[in-house]
C-alpha cells in the first residue's frame, strides 16, 4: 500500500466528529497526544508571541519538540504546517473575526541604491505591525542572480515577491504568470516594461512623475533657461523612456534638449565636460548610474554657476538646486498598502497600476545663492523643504 | 534547505551557461587565446534572438541566427588579431566595446526588450529537458568536430604555435576559426538565456567571462578528464556545479550571510575545490 492511500482516506473526512472517530481508531492515545501537542506548538509558534521556553511551559511539550516543529514550520521544504495555518487563517476570519494573517514576503532589490533602499524601508515600515516574515535579497544588478533568487523565493513557499526595480520584476514575472507566486513590482518608471494583463498575478507601483510640471518648475526658477542638458545611461530602460518623452514635450516649453549619453559611471566626467559649456542647466532624472556620480556633476556645474535639477528629492541636500519628485519612502508605503489590500482578500489582478500619490518639492537656497539665482517667492512658499 | 525547484533552476541556468563555458574553453584552452569578446557576444546573441522572436520568427531559427551572428563577431576579433596584428586581449576588448553600440542598435535603441507573450523554444515543453536536448545536440556536434582531423589541427594551435606551420597547419586561419566557433557558442547561450527569461537587457553580459572561466576550472578539477575533446563535457558539469554553489550561498542566510556576500562564499567554494584536488595529488606523489 502506498502512503497516498492513507492520505486519501484522511481527505474523505468531513466533520470534526468523523475525524475524531477515525483517528481514535487509527492511532494509540499516545500518538494522538503527541500530534495534538505538535499542532498546538505550531499554532503558538506561528503567533510569534511566546519564546520557545514559554511554549514549552504552556504546552508541556519538550524543547526538542518545539524546535523540531519550528524547523518544519519555517525551513523544511514540505511546508504543510504553514499551508494549513494559512488555509485556516483565510477561512477563519469570516467565522471568528481574526485579524489579517501573516505572509511570507520576499523583497528583491535590483541593486544597493539609496532610492531603492528608501522604498524598501517604506514598505517595511508600512507592514511593521502585521507580523509578516519579510526577507531581503539584492540582485547586484545581475540578471542571472535575479533568476536564482526568484527560484529560491518561489520554492520556499513565499506568498509575495516585492521586486524593487524593473529588472528583478521582469525576472519574477514568469513565475507570477504561471501562478506560482504573487508579484508586486515597485519603483517602476515605465510600467509597459512588464506586460501585465488579466491573470498574471502582478501589481505595479510606479514611481513615474509627469515631466510637464517639472519642466514648468525649472522654467519658473530660471526664466532664461533655453538649452537644458540631460545626462543618462543608454542602458537604463527607465531613463530612455523618460528622455523619449522629454524630446516630445520640451519644445512646448521653448526648451532645447541637449542629450549626453553614458554607459557607466566613469563616463560621467567626459559627458559633463562636453555638456557644461553648451547648456544653461542640467537635468538628471531617475538614472541610477548618473545619480551614483551626481556629486561630480554638481561640482562642475556649480563652478560654472549653472543649476542641476533632479527628480530625486534626496539629492537636493547634496547640492542640486531643485527637485520635484516622489518621496521614495512614500512609494514603499504605497507598496505596503497594496499588500494590505491583497491580505484583505482583494484579487491582485484587479489592482490597477499605482502612481505616486503626491510629489514633493525640495529647494536648496544655499546653492541658489552660490550660482546667483533668485528663487521666486511663490515657489519658495510651495516647497516642502528648503535647505 | 534547497528545494527541487531551485536545483532545477540551477540546472537550467547551468546548462545555458555551460554552452557559454564551452565557448570560453574553446578560446582560453583549445586555441590558447585570451578572448574578451564574450561579454559582448553574449548580449549580441540575446539581442538578435529577442528581436527576431519578438517579430514572430521561429524561435529555433532565431537561435540559429544568434549562432551565426556570434560567428561573425568571432571573425571580426580574429581578423583584428591576425591581419591588423592587435594583441589578443585588446582585439577582444575593442570588439566587445563596439558591440555595446551595435547591440543597442539591434534592440532598436531600447536597452530592454520583453517578449514574454511570444513563442519561445520552451513554450509548451519541459524547460530542463529542452535545454538538455539543445545542449546535448550542440556538444555532440562540437565533440565530433574536435575528434576529426580538422579538430586535431585546431587543438594543436593551443599546444604549440611554432610547430604547427612546420607540418603545414595554417595557424592564423585556425585562430580565426576557433574564435568563430567560440563566439557562436557564447551567442547561442545568450539567445537561449533571453528566450528562457522572456526578455533581454543590454547589461546582461557583465560577468559572462568570470562565470564561464570558473565553470571551466571547476569542471576540469572535478571530473579530471584527460582526453581533450571530453573536457568540453566537463565545462557543462562545471557550470551546473557553479550555479549550485551560488544556490548554496543564497541559502546560507541562517549563518548571517547576505546576498552581497555571495561572491565571497562562492569564491571560497571554488578555491576549496581546486585546493582539495591539489592536496590529493601531493599525497599520491
Amino acid at each position: 500500500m502506498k502512503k497516498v492511500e492513507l492520505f486519501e482516506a484522511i481527505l474523505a473526512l468531513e466533520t470534526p466528529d468523523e475525524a475524531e472517530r477515525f483517528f481514535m481508531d487509527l492511532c494509540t492515545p499516545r500518538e494522538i497526544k503527541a500530534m495534538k501537542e505538535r499542532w498546538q506548538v505550531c499554532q503558538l509558534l506561528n503567533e510569534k508571541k511566546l519564546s520557545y521556553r514559554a511554549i514549552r511551559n504552556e504546552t508541556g511539550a519538550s524543547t526538542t519538540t518545539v524546535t523540531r516543529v519550528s524547523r518544519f514550520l519555517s525551513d523544511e521544504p514540505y511546508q504543510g504546517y504553514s499551508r494549513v495555518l494559512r488555509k485556516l487563517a483565510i477561512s477563519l476570519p469570516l467565522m471568528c473575526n481574526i485579524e489579517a494573517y501573516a505572509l511570507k514576503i520576499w523583497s528583491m532589490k535590483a541593486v544597493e541604491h539609496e532610492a531603492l533602499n528608501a522604498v524598501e524601508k517604506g514598505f517595511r515600515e508600512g507592514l511593521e505591525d502585521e507580523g509578516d516574515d519579510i526577507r531581503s535579497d539584492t540582485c547586484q544588478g545581475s540578471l542571472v542572480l535575479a533568476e536564482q533568487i526568484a527560484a529560491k523565493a518561489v520554492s520556499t513557499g513565499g506568498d509575495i515577491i516585492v521586486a524593487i526595480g524593473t529588472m528583478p520584476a521582469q525576472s519574477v514575472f514568469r513565475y507570477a504568470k504561471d501562478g506560482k507566486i504573487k508579484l508586486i513590482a515597485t519603483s517602476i518608471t515605465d510600467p509597459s516594461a512588464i506586460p501585465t494583463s488579466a491573470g498574471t498575478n502582478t501589481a505595479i507601483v510606479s514611481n513615474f512623475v509627469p515631466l510637464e510640471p517639472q519642466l514648468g518648475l525649472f522654467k519658473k526658477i530660471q526664466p532664461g533657461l533655453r538649452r537644458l542638458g540631460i545626462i543618462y545611461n543608454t542602458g537604463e530602460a527607465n531613463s530612455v523612456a523618460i528622455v523619449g518623452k522629454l524630446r516630445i514635450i520640451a519644445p512646448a516649453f521653448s526648451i532645447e534638449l541637449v542629450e549626453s549619453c553614458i554607459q557607466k559611471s566613469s563616463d560621467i566626467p567626459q559627458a559633463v565636460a562636453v555638456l557644461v559649456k553648451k547648456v544653461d542647466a542640467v537635468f538628471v532624472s531617475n538614472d541610477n548610474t548618473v545619480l551614483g556620480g551626481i556629486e561630480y556633476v554638481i561640482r562642475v556645474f556649480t563652478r560654472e554657476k549653472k543649476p542641476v535639477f533632479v527628480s530625486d528629492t534626496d539629492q537636493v541636500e547634496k547640492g542640486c538646486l531643485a527637485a520635484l519628485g516622489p518621496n521614495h519612502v512614500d512609494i514603499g508605503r504605497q507598496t505596503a498598502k497594496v499588500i494590505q489590500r491583497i491580505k484583505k482578500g482583494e484579487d491582485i489582478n484587479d489592482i490597477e497600476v499605482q502612481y505616486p500619490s503626491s510629489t514633493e518639492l525640495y529647494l536648496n537656497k544655499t546653492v541658489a545663492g552660490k550660482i546667483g539665482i533668485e528663487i521666486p517667492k511663490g515657489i519658495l512658499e510651495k516647497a516642502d523643504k528648503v535647505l | 534547505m534547497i528545494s527541487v525547484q531551485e536545483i532545477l533552476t540551477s540546472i537550467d541556468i547551468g546548462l545555458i551557461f555551460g554552452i557559454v563555458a564551452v565557448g570560453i574553453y574553446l578560446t582560453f584552452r583549445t586555441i590558447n587565446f585570451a578572448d574578451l569578446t564574450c561579454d559582448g557576444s553574449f548580449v549580441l546573441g540575446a539581442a538578435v534572438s529577442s528581436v527576431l522572436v519578438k517579430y514572430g520568427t521561429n524561435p529555433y531559427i532565431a537561435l540559429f541566427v544568434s549562432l551565426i551572428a556570434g560567428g561573425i563577431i568571432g571573425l571580426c576579433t580574429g581578423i583584428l588579431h591576425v591581419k591588423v596584428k592587435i594583441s589578443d586581449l585588446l582585439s577582444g576588448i575593442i570588439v566587445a566595446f563596439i558591440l555595446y553600440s551595435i547591440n543597442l542598435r539591434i534592440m532598436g535603441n531600447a536597452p530592454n526588450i520583453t517578449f514574454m507573450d511570444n513563442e519561445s523554444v520552451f513554450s509548451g515543453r519541459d524547460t530542463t529537458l529542452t535545454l538538455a536536448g539543445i545542449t546535448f545536440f550542440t556538444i555532440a556536434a562540437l565533440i565530433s568536430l574536435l575528434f576529426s582531423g580538422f579538430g586535431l589541427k585546431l587543438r594543436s594551435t593551443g599546444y604549440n604555435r611554432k610547430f604547427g606551420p612546420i607540418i603545414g597547419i595554417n595557424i592564423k586561419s585556425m585562430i580565426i576559426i576557433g574564435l568563430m566557433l567560440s563566439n557562436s557558442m557564447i551567442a547561442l547561450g545568450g539567445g537561449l538565456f533571453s528566450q528562457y527569461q522572456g526578455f533581454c537587457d543590454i547589461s546582461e553580459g557583465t560577468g559572462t567571462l568570470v562565470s564561464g572561466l570558473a565553470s571551466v576550472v571547476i569542471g576540469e578539477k572535478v571530473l579530471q578528464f584527460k582526453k581533450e575533446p571530453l573536457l568540453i563535457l566537463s565545462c557543462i558539469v562545471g557550470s551546473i556545479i557553479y550555479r549550485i554553489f551560488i544556490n548554496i550561498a543564497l541559502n546560507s542566510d541562517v549563518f548571517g550571510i547576505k546576498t552581497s556576500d555571495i561572491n565571497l562564499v562562492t569564491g571560497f567554494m571554488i578555491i576549496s575545490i581546486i585546493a582539495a584536488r591539489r592536496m590529493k595529488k601531493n599525497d599520491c606523489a
Side-chain angles (χ1 to χ4, degrees), chain B residues 228-262:
Chain B
E228 206 194 354
L230 285 181
L231 276 166
I232 297 271
L233 247 171
S234 67
C235 296
I236 307 275
V237 177
S239 168
I240 294 175
I241 295 177
Y242 177 72
R243 293 297 153 190
I244 291 176
F245 275 178
I246 295 184
N247 234 319
I248 296 171
L250 275 177
N251 278 288
S252 321
D253 39 4
V254 273
F255 307 117
I257 288 169
K258 287 186 173 178
T259 340
S260 44
D261 302 325
I262 67 157

Side-chain angles (χ1 to χ4, degrees), chain B residues 40-249:
Chain B
S41 44
F42 184 79
V43 186
L44 175 76
V48 167
S49 133
S50 309
V51 171
L52 288 178
V53 169
K54 192 170 169 118
Y55 292 103
T57 318
N58 179 306
Y60 286 99
I61 295 180
L63 282 183
F64 187 70
V65 179
S66 286
L67 189 112
I68 301 291
I72 294 172
I73 287 306
L75 179 69
C76 296
T77 310
I79 288 176
L80 279 188
H81 177 66
V82 171
K83 300 281 180 212
V84 194
K85 306 241 183 306
I86 301 176
S87 76
D88 51 356
L89 278 175
L90 193 59
S91 48
I93 292 173
I94 292 175
V95 173
F97 182 73
I98 294 173
L99 269 179
Y100 183 89
S101 307
I102 295 178
N103 291 337
L104 266 181
R105 278 276 167 197
I106 293 174
M107 292 160 74
N109 273 327
N112 187 302
I113 314 181
T114 46
F115 52 98
M116 301 191 195
D117 298 329
N118 296 64
E119 191 160 321
S120 74
V121 288
F122 305 109
S123 343
R125 287 207 193 89
D126 183 86
T127 315
T128 316
L129 282 182
T130 316
L131 273 174
I134 294 176
T135 315
F136 174 79
F137 183 73
T138 318
I139 299 309
L142 207 59
I143 290 185
S144 61
L145 182 71
L146 285 185
F147 264 121
S148 69
F150 166 77
L152 190 63
K153 285 186 194 167
L154 191 69
R155 284 184 280 146
S156 76
T157 315
Y159 284 124
N160 195 334
R161 284 204 184 168
K162 294 238 167 69
F163 185 67
I166 299 172
I167 53 166
I169 295 172
N170 187 342
I171 291 287
K172 285 179 179 172
S173 55
M174 282 304 146
I175 288 180
I176 293 182
I177 292 170
L179 280 169
M180 287 172 72
L181 269 178
S182 152
N183 281 293
S184 52
M185 286 299 120
I186 295 166
L188 174 66
L192 270 175
F193 188 57
S194 72
Q195 292 199 15
Y196 178 76
Q197 293 205 303
F199 71 96
C200 156
D201 192 285
I202 192 75
S203 69
E204 71 185 31
T206 1
T208 311
L209 177 68
V210 181
S211 69
L213 265 183
S215 309
V216 171
V217 173
I218 296 173
E220 283 173 349
K221 297 295 167 196
V222 172
L223 289 183
Q224 301 202 308
F225 282 143
K226 289 288 176 290
K227 231 175 185 175
E228 206 194 354
L230 285 181
L231 276 166
I232 297 271
L233 247 171
S234 67
C235 296
I236 307 275
V237 177
S239 168
I240 294 175
I241 295 177
Y242 177 72
R243 293 297 153 190
I244 291 176
F245 275 178
I246 295 184
N247 234 319
I248 296 171

Side-chain angles (χ1 to χ4, degrees), chain A residues 99-115:
Chain A
E99 286 288 295
Y101 54 104
L103 293 176
K104 203 165 185 180
I105 300 174
W106 287 85
S107 143
M108 261 172 90
K109 250 181 311 185
V111 284
E112 287 291 342
H113 184 279
E114 277 172 57

Side-chain angles (χ1 to χ4, degrees), chain A residues 75 137-138 140 143-145 147-149 151-152 155 170 173-175 177 193 234-237 240 263, chain B residues 1 3 5-6 9-10 13 17 100 111-112 114 116-117 196-197 199 202 204 243 246 250 259-260 262:
Chain A
D75 296 333
D137 273 321
T138 311
Q140 303 180 18
L143 275 173
V144 194
L145 196 54
E147 188 67 36
Q148 289 196 281
I149 294 174
K152 174 185 157 198
S155 60
Q170 286 177 322
F173 184 68
R174 208 155 42 87
Y175 293 102
K177 212 170 129 189
T234 41
E236 281 193 37
V240 176
Q263 289 162 21
Chain B
M1 254 320 271
S3 64
Q5 163 94 56
E6 277 178 84
T9 308
S10 294
I13 302 180
F17 280 83
Y100 183 89
N112 187 302
T114 46
M116 301 191 195
D117 298 329
Y196 178 76
Q197 293 205 303
F199 71 96
I202 192 75
E204 71 185 31
R243 293 297 153 190
I246 295 184
L250 275 177
T259 340
S260 44
I262 67 157

